[in-house]
Amino acid sequence: MSSAILPKHVVAVVKQQKDPLRALQMFNSVKKDDGFKHNLFTYKCMIEKLGTHGEFEAMENLLGEMRANVDNGLMEGVYISAIRSYGKKGKLQDAVNVFERMDFYNCEPSVQSYNMIMNVLVDYGYFPQAHKVYMRMRDKGIAPDVYTFTIRIKSFCRTSRPHAALRLLKNMPAQGCDINAVAYCTVVGGFYEAHCKLEAYELFNEMLRLGITPDAMTFNKLINILCKKGDVRDSERLLNKVLKKGVSPNLFTFNIFIQGLCSKGLLGEAIRMLDDITKEGLTPDLVTFNTLISGLCKNSKVSEAEIYLHEMVNSRLEPDAFTYNTIVDGYCKMGLVQNADKILSYAVFKGFVPDEFTYGSLIYGLCEDGDTDRAIAVLNEASKKGIKLNVILYNTLIKGLCQNGRILEGLQLMSEMQEKGCVPDIWTYNLIINGLCKLGCVSDAKTIMNDAISKGVLPDIFSFNTLIDGYCKQLQMTDALEIVNTMWEHGIIPDVITYNTVLDGLCKTYKSDEVMETFKAMTEKGCVANRITYNILIESFCKSRKLVKALDILEEMEKSGVMPDVVSFGTLINGFYENGDLDGAYDLFNRMEKEYKLSHTAATYNIMINGYCKKLNMEMAEKLFQRMSDNGCSPDNFTYQCMIEGLCKVDNVDSGYSLLLEKIERGFIPSLTTFGRVINCLCVKHRLREAVHIIFLMVQKGIVPDAVNSIFEVEKKSVAAPKIVVEDLLKKSHISYYAYELLHDAIRDRKLKRAPR
């Protein structure tokens, strides 16, 4: 009796069913129907369904059943489908096992099977293994086809050998294979990836001249390579060429371009591309909007992204978790947590269920905003709503607590996460170690690291460098060097940051000999010194007054291919100045600009200006002060202080007074010492109008003792403030008693209150 159910009916039902296991139930149920027997096509359809959805155990069971009921020699297509499914899910060994068992089950692999396993191996970077499969195929006398050559070409391109790929392409006709657009575009993509743009462009033109035109899918794969590399303009050139050949871009083409434009920060063009989609008669999909929204958020244009969220909804497209999470995360990273809250409320109203990514973004934003209490509340809320708290969520909150000085709560949270079955990783421990070191609790930080080791969490370079930095900041150099030795025991190689930290600590302890010993050990271990390393060495020798050796380091620095910077010369200039060699300092000052083409900063000018002011060589000081302004380097507070005090010392009170006013006008607040020095000089010259003007200027700018601010009545304050300022200057020894006596009466003289011309 024949069954009313035909194999084509089963195939249609299986394809229609979205749930693979439900489809399998229906597949098995028809076996009970009298007269019905599954054939090659029904088995193949069901196996493809299971494999596509990753139901591999059920797929393997069905493969076993099929082998018992179908001629094994006809099953190659089914095996190819299984290999493809395993490959797409990254299960390389399982894919290889299916291929290797084909012979065993009396199914001789043809070129199609070899192509499939080679393609899977190449896609996952197993190039030597793919080559071995190819050689095995040739040994068996199986002739390669066009797909074999295309896979081989892809392998050459992925291993940065586009010229070898090109030779293979040109050799295809001799092997009896016609060259197709896929092979050509693969080689073109290989040249682009190898930064051989000219050769890529010429090869693309050659393809079109030969009348080989890629279809939209093939072309999309090519421009996807270019756009990922940021070569959006080159993609546009290629698009214009294929458009002339009658190739119509599809939605995927536009989506690739939008992603490429967003990655280059060309957001305006990406938005215009969205308009072009509708002009081409296409309708933007979820991927289109998500790509644009993601690009806008990554470029801090989150409010614009929100506009496209609403446009998306108006287009009757349903935003997904990626859409909402991207905007929430964007607002949180910009510190606009309130905006993120609004979007989240809207999303939840629309049926969105926040996930761990949503909560992670909120916790990060709240911590950056300093609202760690609410961040803790959000973590607890996530837990109550059934979200499995992972190490990333805990680390985000622990980092926030540590950054806001709540290290003990961070430690408590680390203990809590372990109680809840979430194992801290090295990043968790590093956050706590870093937080403790910043508080100066380095021994506690070391205890935490030892605890991590005892629990099988191995420290990394950051763990050790943080501890070393902590010890060096406390000048506990023995402990710091001991940690360096411990690094080697744990298989962690100290890097340049490690050595620079130790060198800086030794430099601060004035141990120049140990600095050089450590530097020697560093170079012997193969660690290459950088500019910071050499600058520390220069500083160390300058501090120990070994200036010749400091200059030798400058020379060695250049020989090693590391160019000195403004810090190198600033340290040397200051070293010569501190050693009393102002002429040597000035020589270096000039060399820095003339020989090394380095622009001076306020810091280097200040060293020289301060030196000449202390030597009372105001002619050179004023010359440098003028040169500083001419070169576009603005004087800072210290520059003015040095100049004013130097001018007053040489009795040039006019210039000192003018500079004081200029300094105040530029927004700098002079020290009471500077005010007092100018006032004293003016009083000696009996120039009370200018001296009184300075006192009233101090009151006007709020440079007054706290006693003035305790007077609330305006009239009383205006009368009492100048008197209190003068008394305070005398009390703190900033003005002489002679100046005080003159000012005591002068500040009450209405004629003297008028500002000097």
Side-chain angles (χ1 to χ4, degrees), residues 702-712 717 724-725 728 732:
I703 309 166
V704 294
D706 292 337
V708 173
N709 296 321
S710 64
I711 304 169
F712 296 106
K717 191 172 186 176
I724 294 171
V725 169
D728 186 63
K732 292 176 179 175

Side-chain angles (χ1 to χ4, degrees), residues 129-187:
Q129 290 84 343
H131 180 67
K132 286 178 182 177
V133 171
Y134 172 74
M135 294 307 294
R136 189 164 118 193
M137 182 183 86
R138 297 308 302 261
D139 289 343
K140 286 189 175 252
I142 299 172
D145 62 9
V146 66
Y147 299 107
T148 317
F149 283 108
T150 305
I151 294 161
R152 297 269 292 156
I153 285 168
K154 181 165 67 171
S155 178
F156 285 131
C157 290
R158 293 272 181 92
T159 51
S160 303
R161 292 183 290 167
H163 291 95
L166 181 60
R167 285 194 297 273
L168 189 57
L169 179 79
K170 299 294 186 183
N171 192 42
M172 282 175 67
Q175 298 291 324
C177 291
D178 292 331
I179 304 176
N180 61 16
V182 175
Y184 252 112
C185 285
T186 305
V187 182

